[in-house]
Amino acid sequence: PPPPPPPSGGAPSGKRENDQKKKKKTRAVALLAVLLALLAASYAHVLLAYRPTVDPCVQIWSKPLSPAADGRRRAAVLFVNFKESTVTDLACDRACLADIFPPPPPPGKEKKNQTTNKTFVARDLYAKGQETLTIDDTLVATTLQPAGDSQIFLLTEDK
C-alpha cells in the first residue's frame, strides 16, 4: 500500500524536526560568534589601554658589528626622534664616537688584522650618502620628523 499522506502542513514531521534542529544549531553558532566578537573587542580595548609608550625624547643607539673581512671595525648608529616636533642637527660628538669605537689596544696587544685607524667612513643607509670622519668630528642626523623618524649610519674604519 502507498504511504499515508503527510499531515496537514505539507512537510513530513521528520524533515520539520531536522529543520528545527538546524535552526537551533545556526542560532547557537551565531550567538557564539557574537560572544567571541564581544570578547575580542573588549580584549583589544585592554591592549590599547596598556600598550607601551615612549616619552618624548631623542635617542642615539649604537651597535658594534663584526669586523670587515680586512679587520676594519664597524658599527651601526641609529638616531631616533620620539618628540612631537621636528629635530634638526642631532649629533654624535667626539665622546659619543669614542664610546662607539673605543681607543685601540696598546701596541703589541692588537688582535690579528685589527686596524688602529681613527678615521671612519659614515654611510647613511637611507640616503645612500657617505662622508669621512675622524674621531674628533661629529656625526649629525640633519632633520628628523616627529613621532619616530630615524636615520641610520654604518660606520667603518677607513683604510
Side-chain angles (χ1 to χ4, degrees):
S8 63
S13 64
K15 184 169 177 135
R16 230 180 320 173
E17 289 174 11
N18 283 340
D19 287 345
Q20 288 175 351
K21 285 181 183 180
K22 285 182 183 179
K23 285 182 182 178
K24 284 183 181 179
K25 194 174 189 179
T26 303
R27 286 183 190 144
V29 169
L31 179 61
L32 182 61
V34 168
L35 289 173
L36 286 175
L38 290 172
L39 180 65
S42 66
Y43 189 67
H45 176 70
V46 168
L47 289 177
L48 289 174
Y50 293 103
R51 69 179 175 198
T53 58
V54 176
D55 292 331
C57 64
V58 292
Q59 297 178 0
I60 300 174
W61 292 73
S62 69
K63 172 77 174 162
L65 303 174
S66 58
D70 58 4
R72 294 181 298 158
R73 294 182 294 172
R74 301 181 315 152
V77 180
L78 175 68
F79 296 84
V80 186
N81 177 19
F82 290 112
K83 288 185 174 183
E84 296 176 5
S85 59
T86 300
V87 172
T88 57
D89 300 331
L90 182 59
C92 178
D93 59 9
R94 183 180 204 286
C96 173
L97 288 172
D99 284 344
I100 296 169
F101 287 111
K109 300 282 185 178
E110 301 97 349
K111 294 181 181 175
K112 185 178 179 183
N113 292 333
Q114 183 179 12
T115 61
T116 57
N117 199 337
K118 289 188 177 183
T119 304
F120 306 94
V121 174
R123 189 173 68 157
D124 184 335
L125 297 181
Y126 294 155
K128 306 292 185 204
Q130 74 180 38
E131 60 182 299
T132 301
L133 303 170
T134 68
I135 197 71
D136 295 320
D137 288 331
T138 300
L139 180 63
V140 177
T142 52
T143 302
L144 297 175
Q145 298 301 316
D149 191 18
S150 63
Q151 192 169 3
I152 188 166
F153 292 91
L154 173 63
L155 297 183
T156 307
E157 273 185 315
D158 202 7
K159 292 181 182 179

